[in-house]
């Protein structure tokens, strides 16, 4: 049971001194342990707590989880040989070089000094840090420091890697570069990635888990998540116009435009009407943003809902 | 992936000692100066009369400082770089990690120990038996301080709190007690308070072994018993209370 899968059943976490507030509230999920699982959610939704429990760093209060058949509590010792983690707010140690950082991490993972040295050089070359491999980490840019940490995961070659907000604070170019490495790692490994960037989840993830108030409120591929919405099409009008009767929801935006969420038939009918009236508009499947806001029932500032 | 104890221990020594010493050599000056500064003060104030006691005090303080540095370093690496989280999720066991970090502190102390050893050779001339006693006391002191350091690091949540603990414990256990001079220099009502610190027992044993303090045989046995008991109890507390996987 659970072989080749990540399974959580009734997984609950209540931190000490939290007045009984559940950081994780009876999480139930079962997803294939391959590709990229991206966890999205607002601050405090429980993403990091879930990752830390799955990565054997934190004990659950009740319930359990298995990763490829190994229990994260009972089989932690076995699991730790197969997992690697880049925690949230992890930093490359300033008094070390990228080569030293990756090398020592690999030695902790059980590689010999010689193997570690070779794998570190290969991984740093793959992330484009060959020239900087002997420069102190403190002299590297923010993007390069992140790449050093990603190189540790690349070099570790662990079956399962956890990356908690790995691209937070990076510029768009560095972020896209890291996506490329993550995509590369995920070809033959399982990555569990948390992110605040919905675009990142949309671009990278095979499965997306939406978390809110300690619960996984939606999980599946983007198509499956869209499928669970009543309205799966989004029409955007750059300026507010008199709208005809339709089935769906219209929300004004701060830019003076309007977003209409509706079904396929209505999207087609409204598009015809806007075309006939010469009204500018765009029509798309709903984005992950729309899916996310639907699941977390959040106030949508931009959409004014 | 195989679990390789010595490689994993060496990784900790590289991170916490060798790379830091190589990249920031100035840190070595501090590790040498700290135990020597008190030694010089005591030696000058006593006009050389207590230089032997002070050298032994330097050894004890070096060993005790290792544990306090371990506390700060573990906390720094855990809270500021999240290194411990990365190591927890790896085949390295908590015992291996702490052994490596503790050895790293010992490596850090090597320059100070080397200077003290030369001074001891010149001013104390210990016999092989006396040297063995000194090494035994230092080893117990090291284990005691490592146990304290590891336990405190487990509970410290940030580096400021960690350094505050470190300074407080260092003052209580190595500056206030009679480590650099004989316990008999402390007036009697206060002498009892000095015996609350394990470093006092270490100093008394070392000073008695090298003839700087006259102690009855029973007293020495009692001092050893207390030292060993404190080391065992603190180690047990460290093992029981320390957290690898957080709760």
């Amino acid at each position: 049971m659970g072989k080749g899968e990540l399974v959580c059943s009734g997984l609950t976490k209540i931190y000490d001194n939290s007045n009984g507030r559940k950081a994780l509230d009876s999480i139930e999920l079962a997803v294939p342990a391959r590709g990229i699982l991206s966890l999205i959610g607002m601050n405090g939704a429980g993403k990091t707590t879930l990752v830390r429990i799955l990565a054997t760093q934190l004990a659950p209060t009740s319930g359990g989880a298995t990763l490829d058949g190994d229990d994260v509590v009972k089989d932690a010792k076995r699991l730790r040989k197969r997992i690697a983690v880049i925690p949230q707010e992890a930093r490359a140690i300033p008094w070390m070089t990228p080569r030293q950082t990756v090398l020592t991490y690999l030695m902790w993972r059980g590689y010999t000094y010689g193997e570690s040295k070779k794998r570190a050089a290969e991984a740093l070359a793959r992330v484009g840090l060959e020239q900087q491999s002997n420069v102190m980490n403190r002299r590297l840019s923010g993007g390069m420091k992140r790449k050093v940490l990603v190189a540790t995961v690349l070099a570790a070659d662990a079956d399962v890697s956890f990356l908690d907000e790995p691209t937070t604070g990076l510029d768009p170019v560095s972020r896209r570069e890291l996506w490329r490495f993550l995509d590369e790692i995920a070809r033959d490994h399982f990555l569990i990635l948390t992110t605040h960037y919905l675009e990142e989840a949309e671009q990278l993830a095979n499965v997306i888990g939406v978390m809110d108030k300690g619960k996984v409120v939606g999980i599946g591929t983007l198509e499956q998540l869209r499928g669970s919405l009543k309205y799966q099409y989004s029409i955007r009008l750059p300026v507010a116009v008199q709208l005809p009767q339709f089935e769906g929801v219209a929300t004004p935006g701060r830019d003076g435009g309007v977003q209409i969420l509706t079904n396929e038939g209505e999207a087609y009918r409204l598009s015809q009407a806007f075309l006939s009236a010469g009204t500018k508009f765009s029509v798309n499947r709903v984005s992950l943003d729309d899916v996310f806001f639907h699941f977390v029932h959040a106030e949508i500032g931009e959409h004014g809902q | 992936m195989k679990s390789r104890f010595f490689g994993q221990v060496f990784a900790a020594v590289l991170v916490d000692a060798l790379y830091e010493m190589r990249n920031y050599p100035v840190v070595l000056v501090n590790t040498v100066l700290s135990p020597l500064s008190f030694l010089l003060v005591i030696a000058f104030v006593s006009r050389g009369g207590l230089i032997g006691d002070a050298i032994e005090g330097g050894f004890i303080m070096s060993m005790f400082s290792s544990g306090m540095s371990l506390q700060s370093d573990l906390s720094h690496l855990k809270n500021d770089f999240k290194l411990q989280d990365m190591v927890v999720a790896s085949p390295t066991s908590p015992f291996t990690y702490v052994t490596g970090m503790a050895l790293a502190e010992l490596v850090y102390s090597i320059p100070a120990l080397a200077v003290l050893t030369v001074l001891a050779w010149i001013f104390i001339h210990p016999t092989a038996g006396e040297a063995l006693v000194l090494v035994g006391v230092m080893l117990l002191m090291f284990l005691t301080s490592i146990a304290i350091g590891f336990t405190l690091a487990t509970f410290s949540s940030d580096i400021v709190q960690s350094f505050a603990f470190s300074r407080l414990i260092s003052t209580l256990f190595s500056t206030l007690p009679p480590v650099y001079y004989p316990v008999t220099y402390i007036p009697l009502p206060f002498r009892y308070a000095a015996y609350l610190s394990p470093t006092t027992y270490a100093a008394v044993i070392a000073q008695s072994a090298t003839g700087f303090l006259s102690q009855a045989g029973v007293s020495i046995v009692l001092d050893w018993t207390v030292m060993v008991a404190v080391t065992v109890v603190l180690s047990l507390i460290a093992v029981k209370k320390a957290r690898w996987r957080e709760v």
Side-chain angles (χ1 to χ4, degrees):
Chain A
M1 181 82 174
K3 199 80 181 156
E5 277 189 317
L6 163 64
V7 179
C8 297
S9 55
L11 193 65
T12 300
K13 178 67 191 177
I14 303 170
Y15 288 102
D16 290 344
N17 308 320
S18 66
N19 294 322
R21 194 183 79 81
K22 289 178 178 170
L24 291 184
D25 189 358
S26 306
I27 301 264
E28 299 284 344
L29 66 85
V31 293
R34 59 177 177 271
I36 298 182
L37 162 65
S38 183
L39 298 171
I40 58 175
M42 294 190 289
N43 290 329
K47 304 184 295 292
T48 296
T49 300
L50 178 56
V51 162
R52 297 196 74 222
I53 289 174
L54 296 178
T56 74
Q57 298 164 337
L58 182 68
T61 306
S62 61
T66 59
L67 194 45
D68 201 14
D70 285 334
D71 188 287
V72 297
V73 175
K74 291 179 199 144
D75 306 317
K77 200 172 169 187
R78 190 163 56 218
L79 201 53
R80 283 170 178 159
K81 293 178 182 172
R82 303 179 50 214
I83 62 173
V85 175
I86 299 181
Q88 196 184 85
E89 297 169 7
R91 288 197 293 139
I93 296 173
W95 63 80
M96 287 165 65
T97 65
R99 192 183 70 84
Q100 293 167 345
T101 306
V102 181
L103 183 144
T104 48
Y105 177 69
L106 291 178
M107 289 172 75
W108 266 314
R109 295 207 61 83
Y111 288 101
T112 62
Y113 183 83
E115 282 173 305
S116 303
K117 210 171 154 183
K118 185 168 161 277
R119 294 183 78 92
E122 285 168 1
L124 289 166
R126 275 172 78 187
V127 299
L129 287 179
E130 210 168 10
Q131 301 296 317
Q132 291 80 16
S133 64
N134 289 316
V135 175
M136 289 290 139
N137 287 330
R138 68 173 187 273
R139 298 197 190 282
L140 301 177
S141 67
M144 284 176 176
K145 285 175 188 165
R146 277 277 154 192
K147 278 188 195 171
V148 173
L149 296 175
V150 171
T152 62
V153 170
L154 259 176
D157 198 26
D159 294 342
V160 184
S161 296
F162 298 87
L163 299 102
D164 198 355
E165 298 183 16
T167 60
T168 298
L170 291 185
D171 64 71
V173 174
S174 303
R175 193 180 309 151
R176 277 172 194 277
E177 224 179 335
L178 277 189
W179 290 359
R180 191 164 56 80
F181 303 132
L182 299 180
D183 204 34
E184 203 178 308
I185 300 170
R187 277 177 211 157
D188 43 9
H189 300 88
F190 181 35
L191 290 191
I192 299 177
L193 175 90
T194 74
T195 183
H196 281 300
Y197 302 111
L198 301 183
E199 184 199 2
E200 186 164 290
E202 196 165 351
Q203 288 284 328
L204 289 174
N206 303 89
V207 176
I208 298 167
V210 185
M211 294 193 70
D212 187 38
K213 298 185 182 83
K215 289 177 182 287
V216 175
V217 290
I219 190 152
T221 62
L222 183 55
E223 270 313 300
Q224 287 167 337
L225 291 174
R226 275 185 184 132
S228 61
L229 265 63
K230 188 176 177 188
Y231 303 121
Q232 294 164 24
Y233 283 80
S234 166
I235 300 174
R236 285 179 191 273
L237 304 168
V239 289
V241 295
Q242 185 65 41
L243 295 173
Q245 285 286 332
F246 69 97
E247 186 194 338
V249 181
T251 52
R254 280 187 191 154
D255 58 0
V258 176
Q259 183 191 20
I260 296 166
L261 295 178
T262 186
N263 60 38
E264 188 176 1
E266 284 290 83
Y268 180 75
R269 191 179 66 78
L270 285 170
S271 299
Q272 295 279 15
F274 292 141
L275 279 172
S276 309
T279 306
K280 285 185 179 172
F281 72 100
S282 63
V283 61
N284 287 295
R285 303 289 307 281
V286 286
S287 67
L288 183 56
D289 289 43
D290 301 312
V291 172
F292 176 75
F293 289 121
H294 164 79
F295 277 106
V296 303
H297 306 291
E299 290 294 320
I300 310 171
E302 189 189 341
H303 303 161
Q305 191 170 297
Chain B
M1 189 55 52
K2 287 178 191 169
S3 179
R4 291 189 164 92
F5 177 77
F6 292 109
Q8 290 163 339
V9 165
F10 186 49
V13 174
L14 284 172
V15 170
D16 199 33
L18 297 178
Y19 288 148
E20 198 177 338
M21 288 158 85
R22 194 170 85 178
N23 298 331
Y24 297 138
V26 71
V27 295
L28 289 173
V29 178
N30 185 45
T31 61
V32 176
L33 277 185
S34 290
L36 291 185
S37 54
F38 275 111
L39 187 157
L40 286 175
V41 171
I42 297 292
F44 288 139
V45 169
S46 68
R47 296 177 189 276
L50 290 178
I51 191 157
D53 305 66
I55 291 168
E56 288 172 359
F59 277 120
I60 292 166
M61 187 169 168
S62 281
M63 289 296 98
F64 192 78
S65 299
S66 297
M68 293 309 98
S69 302
L70 176 76
Q71 193 257 133
S72 308
D73 289 350
L74 282 177
S75 175
H76 189 36
L77 293 170
K78 180 176 86 170
N79 298 316
D80 297 340
F81 302 110
K82 306 293 172 193
L83 179 72
Q84 193 170 310
D85 277 351
M86 292 176 76
V87 179
V88 168
S90 82
T92 300
S93 70
F95 175 75
T96 308
Y97 182 66
V98 174
T99 302
M101 288 295 175
L103 278 179
E105 303 303 341
L106 211 51
V107 168
Y108 242 115
S109 301
I110 286 175
L113 293 177
V115 173
L116 288 165
T117 303
V118 171
L119 291 175
W121 189 258
I122 297 167
F123 293 103
I124 303 177
H125 315 293
T127 63
E130 290 166 359
L132 206 63
V133 171
L134 290 179
V135 170
V137 166
M138 284 164 61
L139 191 66
L140 285 177
M141 203 68 265
F142 177 69
L143 292 175
T144 299
S145 73
I146 290 297
I148 295 172
F150 187 53
T151 308
L152 288 178
T154 291
F155 295 103
S156 107
S157 56
D158 65 75
I159 196 65
V160 176
Q161 186 192 45
S162 166
F163 279 128
F165 272 141
S166 180
R167 279 194 293 265
L168 177 68
I169 302 280
S170 287
T171 305
L172 286 177
F173 289 163
S174 62
T175 312
L176 282 179
V179 174
Y180 285 84
Y181 51 90
V183 69
T184 48
Y185 278 45
I186 300 180
L188 246 187
F190 301 106
R191 201 179 299 170
Y192 298 119
Y195 280 104
L196 291 174
S197 167
T199 48
T200 301
Y201 296 92
V204 166
I205 293 168
Q207 290 160 6
S208 303
T210 46
F212 297 123
L213 188 70
S214 181
Q215 285 276 88
V218 179
S219 248
I220 293 170
V221 171
L222 195 65
D223 290 336
W224 273 109
T225 308
V226 172
M227 271 289 289
V228 172
V230 166
T231 306
V232 170
V233 168
L234 288 174
S235 301
L236 288 175
I237 291 172
V239 169
K240 200 167 168 54
K241 291 287 176 189
R243 299 179 196 143
W244 189 237
R245 184 204 297 259
E246 288 180 30
V247 290

